[in-house]
Amino acid sequence: MSNKSQHHPPNKNRNIHNLLAVIAFIFVIGSLAYLFKIHSSNPSRLLKAESSSQTNQTAKKSFENEQDQENDQDNINWKKQDETVKVPILMYHAIHVMADSESGSANLIVAPDTFESHIKSLSEQGYYFLTPEEAYKVLSENVLPNGNKKIIWLTFDDGDADFYTNAYPIMKKYKARGSNNIITSYIGKEGFLTVDQLKEMKKNGMSFQSHTVNHPDLSATSDNEQGTELTESKSWLDSTLNQDTIALAYPSGRYTDTSLSLAEKLGYKMAVTTNEGLASAENGLYALNRVRILPTTSPDDLLSTISW
Ligand SMILES: [Zn+2]
């Protein structure tokens, strides 16, 4: 082909025309591909469109809430900081009125009224509730949403059923978001969340991350077994909720150096501990501090603990 055209100089003009036509064609195809991409690049938007076709009122409502949140997220300008950013990662467990028989685990139970007082004051103070993906962005890129230092990541461990009945309605009321670290083999068992509840809450700003399959003490578990716990809980969450699970919470905050490297190797982007304090990249992304919330924590205690 190229030999032939060299021997036929009169074809030169035609070649140039052909070339221009090809360039124009590539341009048109490129533009169409770009337009197609911006319409289809957000798979969650597609899922939402599907979910909005349900006709019951709650489904519609949740669709609208989600749109609000997404609009907020779209408008965020993530501003690079000079100072190392700190993220208060709150650690809650159960949210219910404690029974007398539960005094042994009192520190893990916060009353709904107390919980609401926390969320209300965070909301009134203008705190921005991070998703796990946003928390990762903040920590790994040292950025703040619109330069706002008032950020918070609410985490709950264990996937207790009261997250759905007590915590979730309060969080929805204040448009707060949070994530529950679930023990995947407990889902559907008495006292724990169900798959349907996970799916419903996920549509309304909650997210679900890994707290392993069986909640073992990882510091007393073989490397092999640790690997299984981390891999299987992540793949269960990934497939059940159609997501990429990025965070792990070590059961009871117990872990070894092997746990940290396994978490990284097996596809988690970060992991939270029960070590007290505000999180920062200086902890290492696989050993992030959290702020333990006690039944006695007042909104003022909370606000003073998390300011930096
Ligand atoms: Zn736990």
Side-chain angles (χ1 to χ4, degrees):
M1 187 70 179
S2 61
N3 272 346
K4 254 186 184 171
S5 61
Q6 274 167 15
H7 291 289
H8 298 274
N11 277 348
K12 229 180 186 175
N13 268 346
R14 199 185 299 158
N15 284 346
I16 288 168
H17 277 128
N18 287 345
L19 186 65
L20 287 174
V22 166
I23 289 169
F25 181 72
I26 288 169
F27 179 75
V28 168
I29 293 296
S31 307
L32 285 173
Y34 177 73
L35 283 173
F36 178 75
K37 189 164 182 269
I38 54 177
H39 283 290
S40 62
S41 66
N42 192 339
S44 66
R45 193 166 277 164
L46 289 178
L47 283 178
K48 278 173 220 160
E50 276 167 18
S51 73
S52 72
S53 66
Q54 297 170 35
T55 47
N56 73 63
Q57 209 51 36
T58 44
K60 268 191 184 158
K61 223 174 222 163
S62 66
F63 177 66
E64 280 157 18
N65 286 346
E66 202 174 9
Q67 291 286 308
D68 285 345
Q69 279 159 4
E70 189 171 74
N71 290 341
D72 289 344
Q73 284 168 303
D74 285 346
N75 291 329
I76 290 171
N77 176 13
W78 296 94
K79 289 195 178 152
K80 192 97 186 159
Q81 303 298 302
D82 295 330
E83 188 188 359
T84 302
V85 169
K86 297 209 167 86
V87 180
I89 308 176
L90 304 190
M91 177 176 59
Y92 290 95
H93 286 80
I95 307 292
H96 63 248
V97 176
M98 188 179 36
D100 291 341
S101 59
E102 294 179 306
S103 56
S105 47
N107 280 348
L108 302 177
I109 302 165
V110 171
D113 287 355
T114 306
F115 178 68
E116 179 159 6
S117 73
H118 298 163
I119 303 304
K120 183 169 184 277
S121 78
L122 289 168
S123 170
E124 284 171 357
Q125 296 293 317
Y127 272 83
Y128 181 82
F129 297 91
L130 299 165
T131 64
E133 290 74 18
E134 288 171 337
Y136 175 72
K137 185 181 181 70
V138 165
L139 289 162
S140 61
E141 298 174 22
N142 208 50
V143 292
L144 287 173
N146 303 321
N148 176 16
K149 281 175 82 170
K150 289 183 171 178
I151 49 172
I152 194 129
W153 179 18
L154 304 181
T155 69
F156 301 77
D157 284 1
D158 301 342
D160 289 325
D162 62 25
F163 182 70
Y164 180 76
T165 51
N166 297 339
Y168 170 58
I170 293 168
M171 292 168 78
K172 254 201 313 194
K173 181 173 164 187
Y174 295 93
K175 295 198 169 162
R177 299 182 295 190
S179 53
N180 202 310
N181 303 309
I182 62 166
I183 307 157
T184 56
S185 72
Y186 290 16
I187 294 302
K189 292 192 175 155
E190 200 190 340
F192 295 90
L193 298 169
T194 68
V195 169
D196 285 347
Q197 289 169 343
L198 300 182
K199 288 181 175 171
E200 180 196 332
M201 291 189 281
K202 196 188 162 184
K203 281 189 204 157
N204 287 287
M206 304 301 135
S207 74
F208 299 94
Q209 303 291 320
S210 171
H211 198 30
T212 73
V213 179
N214 299 298
H215 206 271
D217 173 350
L218 292 178
S219 68
T221 302
S222 72
D223 295 2
N224 249 348
E225 194 81 1
Q226 287 197 57
T228 307
E229 288 282 339
L230 270 49
T231 304
E232 290 185 359
S233 54
K234 177 167 160 53
S235 62
W236 188 92
L237 277 156
D238 287 356
S239 63
T240 306
L241 297 177
N242 189 24
Q243 65 183 23
D244 178 25
T245 307
I246 63 168
L248 169 71
Y250 303 113
S252 310
R254 299 209 175 89
Y255 60 93
T256 62
D257 287 344
T258 307
S259 321
L260 307 183
S261 56
L262 279 174
E264 182 166 14
K265 190 178 137 202
L266 299 173
Y268 294 98
K269 290 182 175 170
M270 58 184 174
V272 296
T273 66
T274 56
N275 304 336
E276 189 66 31
L278 304 186
S280 87
E282 287 162 0
N283 299 146
L285 291 181
Y286 295 90
L288 296 169
N289 292 336
R290 284 194 287 179
V291 174
R292 183 184 287 275
I293 304 297
L294 299 170
T296 51
T297 304
S298 72
D300 286 345
D301 294 338
L302 174 58
L303 293 174
S304 69
T305 308
I306 64 177
S307 70
W308 56 281

